[in-house]
Amino acid sequence: MKTLKKTGLYVLGTFSLLLILAIIVLFTLFPKVDTAPELTVERTPERIERGRYIANAVAVCMDCHSQRDWSSYSGPMVPGTLGMGGERFSREMGFPGVFYSKNITPAAMSGWTDGEIYRTITSGVDREGKALFPVMPFHSYNQLHDEDIFSIIAYIRSLDPIENEIPERTVDFPVHLLIRTFPNKRNQVDQIPDKADKVAYGRYVTTMAGCIDCHTPVKKGNIILEEIFSGGRAFEMPGGTLVSSNLTPHNTGIANWTEAQFISTFKQYQDSAYVSPKLGATDMNTLMPWMMYSTMKEEDLAAIFAYLKSLPPIERTVQKFIPKN
């Protein structure tokens, strides 16, 4: 009995020591990111306009970093909240804690250098080096060309300052430890693909738009790359469960869609007669920011469609919305 007790204590002691060492390594070596570069972005009118387009129509940074009216379909932006942050991402939505989007107007960002903003967008740490949770799609933004990142920075600097104090996040165990491993070093991109290569350019725009995050299944919080863009990811909404659509060229996805149908699906929300309807308690709502994506250029939407059509077809039939009883 004494031998068993000693063995148990030895195993427990060894495990505790290894755990302490692992935590020391985690807090010493992670996040593994570069230092913020010495960088001053020239704020040309062309860059600001390009950044406005990216942040509002493609990467839709303003989708998360503004307030959205979830009592209406697709949660349209509340006027006067552009960039002020405060959107809540909670456990009820499937997140390991409670997270809030940051205020990215000059009221909060004036003390940041352009290099610190650049590192945050591409690597996923704040100015102090604290790891961000990847509801901020820095893994996608890390695959964008510097010029597009510079344009986003120039646009952010041009926003009207709005004072808005953002609550601190709460991260559940063990993610509050693992989150330190999520950020990544900058992956330098040589060039933006030529628009003449529709599939390559479409992949770039699709990456910028972060479509993979919602339209790919996950397992234990990790995207299943073998099932990329096949949909089926569930999101809890006030009225029920939203399930993302299959975007692969399978009959259960977009195999029978035409380019014109794909583009019109987005552009219908730009119709001057369209008003986002108010919703009842169990009506379908969606995280898809249709009003923002609908402002994307048709050539970019066509390129996204060409890229999606080039993917391997994956069979997955989804029920888009399962209302609560």
Side-chain angles (χ1 to χ4, degrees):
M1 180 65 74
K2 287 184 178 179
T3 303
L4 286 174
K5 195 171 185 179
K6 284 182 179 179
T7 301
L9 289 172
Y10 175 77
V11 171
L12 180 61
T14 302
F15 175 78
S16 299
L17 179 61
L18 289 174
L19 181 61
I20 291 168
L21 288 173
I23 292 173
I24 290 172
V25 169
L26 192 65
F27 277 81
T28 303
L29 300 182
F30 294 90
K32 283 188 176 179
V33 297
D34 298 318
T35 57
E38 294 290 332
L39 175 66
T40 300
V41 174
E42 186 181 359
R43 300 175 208 171
T44 64
E46 293 77 17
R47 269 190 179 148
I48 291 172
E49 194 52 41
R50 172 69 175 166
R52 186 191 316 280
Y53 173 68
I54 293 172
N56 288 279
V58 189
V60 293
C61 314
M62 297 305 156
D63 167 50
C64 288
H65 290 282
S66 305
Q67 297 287 306
R68 293 173 68 183
D69 177 10
W70 291 109
S71 68
S72 297
Y73 183 70
S74 189
M77 187 191 303
V78 176
T81 69
L82 188 69
M84 69 182 283
E87 274 291 281
R88 187 173 186 267
F89 303 86
S90 64
R91 297 178 183 89
E92 294 78 17
M93 301 167 71
F95 291 97
V98 182
F99 304 85
Y100 300 89
S101 63
K102 296 298 184 181
N103 183 347
I104 58 172
T105 73
M109 304 294 289
S110 61
W112 289 53
T113 68
D114 288 346
E116 288 167 344
I117 299 175
Y118 174 93
R119 186 178 65 163
T120 296
I121 294 172
T122 58
S123 296
V125 295
D126 67 13
R127 67 183 305 203
E128 285 81 29
K130 185 169 75 175
L132 305 184
F133 187 74
V135 65
M136 161 71 172
F138 51 85
H139 293 106
S140 293
Y141 299 158
N142 194 26
Q143 300 176 60
L144 303 184
H145 190 268
D146 270 355
E147 185 54 43
D148 280 339
I149 303 298
F150 294 164
S151 294
I152 293 172
I153 294 170
Y155 171 64
I156 287 173
R157 295 294 201 192
S158 77
L159 295 174
D160 291 333
I162 304 175
E163 296 291 342
N164 186 30
E165 189 172 341
I166 307 299
E168 285 297 318
R169 71 188 185 186
T170 303
V171 190
D172 297 338
F173 177 85
V175 177
H176 78 290
L177 296 173
L178 297 176
I179 196 172
R180 298 180 67 86
T181 67
F182 296 164
N184 43 240
K185 291 188 175 183
R186 173 63 166 143
N187 172 41
Q188 288 295 339
V189 178
D190 293 335
Q191 61 183 10
I192 299 172
D194 192 321
K195 291 182 180 180
D197 186 342
K198 215 168 179 180
V199 171
Y201 180 66
R203 181 186 182 282
Y204 182 82
V205 179
T206 303
T207 300
M208 183 187 292
C211 308
I212 189 174
D213 292 325
C214 290
H215 288 278
T216 303
V218 296
K219 185 176 182 180
K220 295 181 179 179
N222 296 312
I223 286 174
I224 305 172
L225 292 177
E226 295 79 11
E227 300 177 32
I228 191 169
F229 293 114
S230 64
R233 185 169 183 179
F235 300 90
E236 292 303 318
M237 303 292 287
T241 303
L242 174 73
V243 184
S244 61
S245 300
N246 184 349
L247 299 182
T248 72
H250 189 273
N251 287 335
T252 57
I254 62 169
N256 300 315
W257 285 50
T258 66
E259 179 186 285
Q261 287 174 318
F262 185 80
I263 291 173
S264 67
T265 298
F266 288 82
K267 288 299 180 182
Q268 65 180 314
Y269 298 99
Q270 277 296 291
D271 189 311
S272 59
Y274 181 80
V275 176
S276 186
K278 291 292 182 181
L279 302 175
T282 58
D283 287 342
M284 174 182 171
N285 205 348
T286 179
L287 294 171
M288 182 77 167
W290 285 113
M291 267 55 79
M292 301 192 83
Y293 281 144
S294 68
T295 62
M296 203 184 308
K297 296 173 183 176
E298 289 195 12
E299 65 176 343
D300 286 353
L301 288 169
I304 290 175
F305 182 72
Y307 168 63
L308 295 175
K309 280 285 198 176
S310 76
L311 296 172
I314 299 174
E315 181 176 1
R316 175 169 281 116
T317 301
V318 301
Q319 182 179 344
K320 289 185 179 181
F321 189 72
I322 305 165
K324 288 182 178 176
N325 294 329

